[in-house]
Amino acid sequence: MTDQPHSHPADKAADEQREPDHEQQTAAAEGVVIDRSSHPISRRSIPENVLKVLYRLHRSGYRAYLCGGSVRDLLMNRTPKDFDLATDAHPTEVRRLFRNSRIIGRRFRLVHVIFQDQTVEVSTFRREPERAEDAENLLITDDNTFGSPLQDARRRDFTINALFYNIADFSVIDYIGGLEDMTAKRIRVIGDPDVRFREDPVRMMRAVEFASRLDFEIEPATREAIVRHRNEILKASPPRVSEEILELLRRGWSGDAIRLAVDVGLLEPLLPEVYNAIVNDRAPYFWKMLEVLDRTVASGRKISDAVSLSVLFLPWIVAELEAEEQRRDGRMRLGEVILFIRELTQPLCARMALSAGTRHHIEQTLETLWRLLEPPSERRAMFRFVYREPFNDALSLLELYALSSGKYVEQFRQWQSFATRVRRSAEEAPDAPVKRRRRKKKS
Ligand code: ATP
Ligand code: MG
């Protein structure tokens, strides 16, 4: 990484002024150590609170490493989503060092150090649990065994996620070859891909996520293993898988990610309904809709999970509705459509183990979308619509649908300008008294 062009000379100067006054810890056994002058990570890009925790651990005689996605992202000059720390201090020792901390988690115990506007997660180096030689079922149920930094690197999912940044000397430690894969833009699972994907099938989804998010290739052995074990994704816990699906939709790379999920065979077992609608070309605007969703998210607009998931479901719903109308030999009334949509989505949402709130939200958004397609003739009814809870989400969904399919563009424009006018007049007269008509008393 000597040729990394990212670091600014001023950053390096600032780093040099703040050399820690403690002795450097011994270089990592067996790991490649890349010293500060040969990588671009500057402490300026690490939040103050995270540095505080790192320094206190280090000054108390423990190893204190930044790990996981934060090291990966900082090396790529991206802003990390969160900063995870790894240490050889036991959770109880970490807890003792920070008054503002608490031990959390059942499956693996971590310490959260809580600051006013940020929580810093500290985990003790762990190793993979022992597995029986002939184990039929490799799924991990307990991975709370502490280990060395090398073992901790090895139990991680991909090589690019197993790098450490050592606060003792500001070096990067690479036990697994993550830097080489990062330079070559490769997602490579650590260890035997057949074992690693079977013991935690969610890793297959994570491979898809990182490849699309970073614009990396999944290297052949990793990819082939995903294809081989794709159906085992159904053994993973549904809420974890659904959270991964949502991550693909939320952050602006859904088009590439879903396409890759189709290519490696993961979408089919997960969402066969959606998969069939896509591959049988029953939803020609599906890809366009993801593209529009990604653009909208990238522009900084907040799109709710209910809308993102509705985008994923919509082409399949529309295809099913059309088929149903053909079967019935005529158009369905609004009430029938709403009932039909509920019957379609309820089992899917249950299978995905979505929270009751999200399910309700999706149902409301889709229902309101269909109501918007047939605007009420009375203005008063339209007013009521704008103030109803799912209106904004339904309008966003209608916008995405109209922009990608070319259908209902007029309805979208009408609703959008109506909503803008209603809101504007509400803003201009916020305190206007609401006139109530007095009811005539019955004599
Ligand atoms: P993000 O930027 O999305 O947070 P991340 O790589 O930090 O990406 P996290 O889910 O925050 O992902 O996990 C932190 C680290 O924990 C990962 O970088 C990886 O080293 C390890 N990890 C996460 N999930 C797994 C898993 N399923 N199997 C093995 N290691 C994992
Ligand atoms: Mg992370």
Side-chain angles (χ1 to χ4, degrees):
M1 295 297 279
T2 40
D3 54 353
Q4 283 286 334
H6 308 301
S7 73
H8 191 277
D11 283 348
K12 282 196 181 169
D15 281 356
E16 274 149 23
Q17 277 167 16
R18 295 176 53 181
E19 285 290 328
D21 43 8
H22 280 245
E23 274 180 23
Q24 293 192 350
Q25 276 165 336
T26 40
E30 299 168 66
V32 176
V33 178
I34 299 96
D35 66 30
R36 173 64 190 95
S37 58
S38 308
H39 70 72
I41 299 183
S42 158
R43 274 165 293 155
R44 284 201 174 177
S45 16
I46 304 172
E48 204 57 39
N49 291 334
V50 176
L51 284 174
K52 249 188 228 167
V53 179
L54 283 167
Y55 279 131
R56 185 168 306 169
L57 284 166
H58 169 61
R59 289 186 178 136
S60 309
Y62 299 109
R63 286 179 201 260
Y65 296 168
L66 206 57
C67 64
S70 53
V71 182
R72 177 197 69 222
D73 290 346
L74 289 173
L75 283 168
M76 294 176 75
N77 216 16
R78 288 167 176 250
T79 308
K81 197 172 86 182
D82 42 37
F83 289 81
D84 296 329
L85 271 54
T87 181
D88 54 359
H90 191 276
T92 49
E93 294 172 317
V94 180
R95 170 73 192 87
R96 238 176 279 141
L97 278 182
F98 301 95
R99 252 190 320 150
N100 51 329
S101 69
R102 62 165 180 248
I103 296 180
I104 57 140
R106 257 181 305 157
R107 188 166 160 208
F108 31 78
R109 292 165 83 212
L110 309 160
V111 179
H112 274 177
V113 185
I114 299 148
F115 296 94
Q116 204 164 27
D117 50 356
Q118 190 178 24
T119 297
V120 179
E121 197 167 286
V122 185
S123 57
T124 307
F125 297 126
R126 293 198 305 270
R127 61 185 166 85
E128 281 226 89
E130 305 283 335
R131 28 181 122 78
E133 275 297 302
D134 57 345
E136 211 4 70
N137 190 357
L138 288 174
L139 279 189
I140 295 180
T141 47
D142 170 23
D143 53 0
N144 210 8
T145 326
F146 299 123
S148 68
L150 169 66
Q151 288 169 324
D152 190 80
R154 282 203 186 127
R155 61 114 193 148
R156 290 172 183 274
D157 47 7
F158 306 109
T159 58
I160 56 162
N161 286 350
L163 295 158
F164 295 122
Y165 170 83
N166 185 359
I167 200 67
D169 58 3
F170 317 125
S171 64
V172 167
I173 309 171
D174 181 6
Y175 287 104
I176 310 281
L179 286 170
E180 195 188 323
D181 284 332
M182 192 125 82
T183 311
K185 297 176 145 235
R186 271 189 307 243
I187 305 292
R188 182 196 302 276
V189 74
I190 296 169
D192 179 346
D194 287 321
V195 173
R196 300 306 307 286
F197 287 137
R198 281 163 69 202
E199 64 184 14
D200 182 3
V202 172
R203 290 179 186 142
M204 299 191 280
M205 296 293 292
R206 287 176 58 89
V208 166
E209 187 203 330
F210 291 120
S212 41
R213 167 173 166 187
L214 307 172
D215 200 17
F216 278 25
E217 289 287 326
I218 303 180
E219 64 85 30
T222 301
R223 188 181 170 114
E224 283 155 22
I226 296 178
V227 173
R228 258 195 310 282
H229 299 293
R230 60 188 184 274
N231 289 324
E232 295 187 42
I233 193 65
L234 295 175
K235 289 189 185 163
S237 115
R240 274 185 76 203
V241 176
S242 297
E243 187 51 32
E244 281 298 327
I245 294 177
L246 273 166
E247 272 300 287
L248 303 183
L249 299 170
R250 273 180 198 141
R251 315 245 323 258
W253 48 76
S254 70
D256 288 345
I258 302 290
R259 207 177 283 275
L260 189 53
V262 170
D263 289 350
V264 296
L266 279 172
L267 195 74
E268 186 176 6
L270 279 179
L271 301 170
E273 310 82 348
V274 176
Y275 172 82
N276 284 324
I278 303 171
V279 295
N280 295 332
D281 228 10
R282 290 162 73 200
Y285 51 88
F286 177 72
W287 298 111
K288 178 89 178 141
M289 204 160 165
L290 291 183
E291 204 184 299
V292 181
L293 173 69
D294 289 343
R295 242 188 294 139
T296 311
V297 170
S299 75
R301 214 171 99 191
K302 183 88 190 94
I303 298 289
S304 72
D305 286 351
V307 172
S308 304
L309 286 169
S310 300
V311 166
L312 194 60
F313 301 163
L314 195 66
W316 157 65
I317 294 173
V318 173
E320 289 297 322
L321 259 175
E322 283 170 3
E324 182 68 11
E325 287 190 333
Q326 259 180 12
R327 266 194 299 272
R328 294 188 188 192
D329 230 3
R331 279 203 73 190
M332 287 154 76
R333 283 180 292 112
L334 185 60
E336 291 172 327
V337 170
I338 286 172
L339 215 63
F340 184 75
I341 293 175
R342 257 185 229 169
E343 277 166 15
L344 277 182
T345 53
Q346 270 170 357
L348 181 58
C349 291
R351 218 175 62 220
M352 290 178 80
L354 299 176
S355 71
T358 309
R359 287 187 213 184
H360 178 71
H361 202 160
I362 292 174
E363 219 167 75
Q364 294 284 301
T365 303
L366 286 166
E367 280 185 30
T368 311
L369 171 74
W370 258 271
R371 290 184 197 277
L372 295 188
L373 298 182
E374 294 179 23
S377 46
E378 265 190 71
R379 271 177 77 78
R380 207 145 29 110
M382 285 179 81
F383 268 110
R384 274 204 300 276
F385 251 99
V386 174
Y387 286 112
R388 267 169 53 170
E389 222 239 287
F391 177 81
N392 287 338
D393 274 344
L395 189 65
S396 295
L397 185 59
L398 176 57
E399 180 180 359
L400 297 170
Y401 185 31
L403 287 177
S404 43
S405 68
K407 292 190 219 168
Y408 304 109
V409 177
E410 205 36 51
Q411 280 91 330
F412 165 66
R413 292 219 177 100
Q414 275 176 12
W415 276 112
Q416 193 186 37
S417 64
F418 181 72
T420 313
R421 264 181 289 140
V422 170
R423 286 199 196 102
R424 199 173 297 146
S425 54
E427 271 166 24
E428 279 163 11
D431 301 324
V434 183
K435 275 189 186 168
R436 284 176 182 269
R437 259 192 310 179
R438 219 187 269 160
R439 279 204 195 141
K440 269 187 189 167
K441 270 189 185 165
K442 276 183 187 166
S443 52

